[in-house]
């Protein structure tokens, strides 16, 4: 496909641009209104603190406000012999603090997930390594306001060993405590039930100890029965799995739903899955990146799906690895970034698919094509201006770690809203909850999102969900939480995004699905 052109600048820090003249002229030219106005589907981004966000070797990356100061921070895991990094965000500027907080592991890091495992209001971090690193995975307990992390993996029973891939903090049994799922490429997957003072592996008895070569996974309530189900993306020709949560046990229904990629050769396989309502019909769909081809499973309702990747224009990609959805131009339709991995230092082929309603169009900017991602991709509004920014990690020897600021015009950036779903105590324990927005006073769906259960290559964020809006207006917001009594809907009517701090609506929901307002 022909690539769209885009203008770029380089951010040296808040408000400081290097070589600002030429990129600014390019941006002005690219955005010069024509007869139908500027084409805002053409992406425009600029690098943020490129001297800080630099170097190759990055793999998982995930965002969370680990120090509870109101700014999202970024953790990045690296290949062997390169220290992991934690970028603390303070008032628009990032600083790398992993070593001083006890998080700078030098082992080959393949997975990372933020979650509040003990429900104390401090976000903790689980880090997964490759088997060749020779060490077990680690659970870092946040000891308060992000001042120090203590490793408690063995004490909590989650010091697993293997070629770790996706890890997710989820409450699979709706008991109000956060459980832990760990996927492996070389061993049966593990599901740790949170017993309060320790975790117990229940994968075998629950039926999710998949022995296939899992490299990606995501949780969502695929049949809307009030329980989180599990999709696993498997490599080397092994079939994918979709484990339906029946309460007392999980059952793999991928084959009967034709979602297992049956019949593919041994050199094909699936990688980074991601959940989204791409067509704004109110149901959550599933995209699966892969070697050989991608899948886009449209949710037809009733727990049934249809693969529409080819007709939508997103089936391509020889070695697609991670995927991530975000409405970068705030037109009300989520767009898709897909990165490809290659095992040599060349320019891999990435895709930025703009959602045009009936199909997707590749608009990858030239700068993205030159730098690429290979692994970590995260859409995030880190600066709170309403427009989604982009963090990318590349583990090739000549790759880059990059943070890009979205240069969407302010009037368009304001056409957005974010929703942060927390539990009744204000803690991050609601992964898998669903958020929908509607035209006010109607049942017209404007968008649907899921609170992150695994995304952007073997990572999990703890952050708000973002919606672009086709026009500036009030909206109705509904949060569907999963409880022991089933799916419970919390409704907040006539929300005015312009009156929200940083355009973020905070919704607190207790274990019974009731909204807490104090």
């Amino acid at each position: 496909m022909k690539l769209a052109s885009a203008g770029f600048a380089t951010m040296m820090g808040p408000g400081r641009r290097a070589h600002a003249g030429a990129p600014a002229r390019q941006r002005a030219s690219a955005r010069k209104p024509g007869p139908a106005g500027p084409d805002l589907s053409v992406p425009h981004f600029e690098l943020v603190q490129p001297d800080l966000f630099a170097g190759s070797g990055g793999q998982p990356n995930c965002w969370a406000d680990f120090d509870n100061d109101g700014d999202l921070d970024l953790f990045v895991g690296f290949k062997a012999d390169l220290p992991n990094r934690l970028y603390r965000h303070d008032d628009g500027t990032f600083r790398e603090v992993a070593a001083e907080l006890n998080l700078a592991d030098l082992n080959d890091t393949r997975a990372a997930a933020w979650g509040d495992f003990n429900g104390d209001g401090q976000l903790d971090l689980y880090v997964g390594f490759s088997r060749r690193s020779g060490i077990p995975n680690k659970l870092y307990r946040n000891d308060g306001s992000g001042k120090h992390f203590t490793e408690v993996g063995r004490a909590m029973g989650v010091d697993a060993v293997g070629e770790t891939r996706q890890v997710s903090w989820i409450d699979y049994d709706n008991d109000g405590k956060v459980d832990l799922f760990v996927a492996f490429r070389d061993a049966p997957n593990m599901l740790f039930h949170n017993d309060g003072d320790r975790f117990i592996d229940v994968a075998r008895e629950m039926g999710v100890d998949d022995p296939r070569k899992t490299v990606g996974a995501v949780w969502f309530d695929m049949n809307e029965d009030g329980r989180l189900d599990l999709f696993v993306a498997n490599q080397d020709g092994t079939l994918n799995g979709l484990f339906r949560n029946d309460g007392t046990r999980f059952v793999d229904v991928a084959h009967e739903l034709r979602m297992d990629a049956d019949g593919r050769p041994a050199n094909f396989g699936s990688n980074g899955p991601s959940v989204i309502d791409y067509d704004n019909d109110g149901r959550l769909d599933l995209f699966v990146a892969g070697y050989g081809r991608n899948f886009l499973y449209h949710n037809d309702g009733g727990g049934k799906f249809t693969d529409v990747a080819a007709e939508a224009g997103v089936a391509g990609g020889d070695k697609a690895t991670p995927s991530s959805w975000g409405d970068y131009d705030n037109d009300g339709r989520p767009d898709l970034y897909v990165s490809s991995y290659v095992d040599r230092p060349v320019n891999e082929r990435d895709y930025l698919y703009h959602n045009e309603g009936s199909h997707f169009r590749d608009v990858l900017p030239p700068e993205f094509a030159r730098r690429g991602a290979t692994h970590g991709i995260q859409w995030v509004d880190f600066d709170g201006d309403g427009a989604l920014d982009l963090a990318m990690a590349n583990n090739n020897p000549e790759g880059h770690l990059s943070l890009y600021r979205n240069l969407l015009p302010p009037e368009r950036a304001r056409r957005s809203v974010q929703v942060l779903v927390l539990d009744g105590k204000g803690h991050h324990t609601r992964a898998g909850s669903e958020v929908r927005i509607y035209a006010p006073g109607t049942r017209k769906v404007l968008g649907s999102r899921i609170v992150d259960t695994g995304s952007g290559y073997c990572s999990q964020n703890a952050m708000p969900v973002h919606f672009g809006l086709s026009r500036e207006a009030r909206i109705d917001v509904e949060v569907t939480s999963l409880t022991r009594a089933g799916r419970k809907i919390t409704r907040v009517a006539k929300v005015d995004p312009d009156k929200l701090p940083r355009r973020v609506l905070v919704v607190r929901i207790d274990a019974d699905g009731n909204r807490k307002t104090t």
Side-chain angles (χ1 to χ4, degrees):
M1 291 184 177
K2 183 179 180 180
L3 303 184
S5 61
F8 285 83
T10 301
M11 289 294 294
M12 306 303 293
R16 297 174 58 199
R17 290 182 175 84
H19 311 298
R25 289 192 295 272
Q26 293 169 7
R27 293 196 301 272
S29 174
R31 294 184 180 185
K32 184 178 179 180
D39 181 6
L40 296 180
S41 69
V42 176
H44 294 262
F45 292 81
E46 64 185 0
L47 283 169
V48 176
Q49 294 179 248
D51 292 338
L52 180 68
F53 296 98
S56 65
Q59 298 180 141
N61 60 344
C62 46
W63 292 84
D65 181 10
F66 79 91
D67 53 359
N68 292 328
D69 68 349
D71 295 320
L72 288 170
D73 313 292
L74 174 64
F75 176 83
V76 183
F78 280 79
K79 294 172 69 173
D81 301 323
L82 297 170
N84 292 340
R85 304 176 192 175
L86 177 60
Y87 296 96
R88 185 199 298 271
H89 182 198
D90 293 313
D91 298 324
T93 301
F94 289 88
R95 183 170 68 90
E96 206 286 298
V97 297
E100 62 189 79
L101 270 64
N102 192 39
L103 295 175
D105 289 297
L106 289 167
N107 309 93
D108 185 28
T109 301
R110 285 289 179 167
W114 292 102
D116 187 0
F117 79 88
N118 54 2
D120 66 352
Q122 308 293 334
L123 282 167
D124 313 295
L125 181 66
Y126 190 86
V127 180
F129 304 104
S130 67
R131 184 177 293 277
R132 64 179 175 273
S133 70
I135 65 169
N137 296 342
K138 295 183 178 182
L139 172 56
Y140 287 103
R141 185 188 65 216
N142 187 337
D143 293 331
S145 300
K147 295 180 180 179
H148 185 267
F149 288 82
T150 298
E151 205 289 300
V152 296
R154 183 177 180 182
M156 296 304 299
V158 294
D159 54 335
V161 176
E163 193 68 23
T164 309
R165 290 300 189 262
Q166 180 65 50
V167 296
S168 300
W169 295 103
I170 41 84
D171 181 7
Y172 76 88
D173 57 352
N174 296 340
D175 68 351
K177 297 190 293 289
V178 177
D179 310 302
L180 178 66
F181 173 76
V182 183
F184 298 96
R185 183 166 181 154
D186 65 342
N189 297 334
M190 304 179 79
L191 177 62
F192 294 96
H193 182 263
N194 188 341
D195 282 357
D197 57 353
R198 189 172 173 82
F199 288 84
I200 304 297
D201 180 22
V202 296
R204 173 177 287 186
E205 66 186 78
M206 293 301 298
V208 292
D209 57 333
D210 194 334
R212 295 171 294 193
K213 298 181 178 182
T214 303
V215 292
V218 69
W219 294 75
F220 70 117
D221 185 5
M222 66 97 176
N223 54 358
E224 299 185 359
D225 67 350
R227 295 182 290 263
L228 284 174
D229 310 294
L230 169 64
F231 180 88
V232 294
N234 298 323
Q235 264 289 349
D236 296 340
T238 59
L239 301 181
N240 296 334
L242 178 54
F243 293 88
R244 187 186 65 214
N245 186 347
D246 289 342
T248 58
R249 190 169 175 81
F250 289 79
V251 178
D252 187 359
V253 296
H255 185 72
E256 68 183 73
L257 294 179
R258 304 183 68 179
M259 298 176 69
D260 60 349
D262 192 9
R264 62 186 175 188
N267 60 328
F268 282 12
S270 295
N271 294 299
S274 51
V275 173
I276 193 68
D277 175 12
Y278 76 88
D279 56 354
N280 292 343
D281 67 355
R283 293 188 294 265
L284 294 174
D285 312 299
L286 174 67
F287 179 82
V288 185
Y291 289 8
R293 62 156 298 182
N294 305 326
F295 300 93
L296 177 58
Y297 294 108
H298 179 266
N299 189 336
D300 301 326
K304 305 293 184 182
F305 293 79
T306 301
D307 178 25
V308 297
E311 60 195 78
V314 296
D318 180 44
K319 289 196 174 183
T321 306
S323 65
S324 186
W325 293 86
D327 185 359
Y328 71 84
D329 59 346
N330 284 349
D331 67 352
R333 295 185 297 262
D335 311 299
L336 172 64
Y337 198 105
V338 183
S339 178
S340 301
Y341 171 75
V342 290
D343 56 4
R344 57 188 184 279
V346 299
N347 291 327
E348 54 282 336
R349 179 67 170 93
D350 287 8
Y351 297 85
L352 176 52
Y353 290 112
H354 182 255
N355 186 342
E356 305 195 341
S358 61
H359 67 284
F360 291 81
R361 174 172 59 97
D362 183 21
V363 295
L364 187 77
E367 181 70 4
F368 289 2
R370 286 191 292 271
R371 297 176 75 92
T374 76
H375 285 74
I377 308 170
Q378 296 291 354
W379 292 103
V380 58
D381 180 14
F382 77 85
D383 55 2
D385 67 351
L388 282 175
D389 311 299
L390 187 63
M392 299 196 296
N394 186 313
N395 75 351
N396 278 335
E398 297 177 9
H400 301 269
L401 175 64
S402 307
L403 176 60
Y404 286 100
R405 187 191 308 276
N406 191 340
L407 299 179
L408 203 63
E411 63 275 11
R412 187 64 168 260
R414 286 195 299 270
R415 282 173 28 182
S416 64
V417 67
Q418 297 191 77
V419 181
L420 179 62
V421 181
L422 304 173
D423 66 18
K425 297 179 181 179
H427 302 163
H428 287 269
T429 63
R430 288 288 177 265
S433 297
E434 301 165 10
V435 183
R436 292 175 179 82
I437 61 173
Y438 298 84
T442 76
R443 302 305 295 167
K444 179 183 178 181
V445 179
L446 302 179
S448 311
R449 302 288 189 270
I450 186 171
V451 178
D452 191 24
T453 63
S455 64
Y457 182 76
C458 301
S459 304
Q460 184 180 15
N461 306 288
M463 65 181 183
V465 296
H466 174 278
F467 296 88
L469 303 174
S470 59
R471 61 187 181 91
E472 289 188 79
R474 293 187 179 187
I475 56 173
D476 292 344
V477 177
E478 286 188 356
V479 177
T480 302
S481 51
L482 310 183
T483 75
R484 283 184 167 176
R487 292 166 64 89
K488 293 295 186 71
I489 294 177
T490 300
R491 188 168 184 265
V492 186
K494 298 180 179 178
V495 175
D496 185 349
D498 287 332
K499 294 183 179 179
L500 298 172
R502 294 169 70 94
R503 311 187 72 80
V504 178
L505 173 68
V506 179
V507 182
R508 292 172 51 184
I509 302 174
D510 66 18
D512 297 320
N514 302 311
R515 186 185 181 196
K516 306 291 288 186
T517 57
T518 59

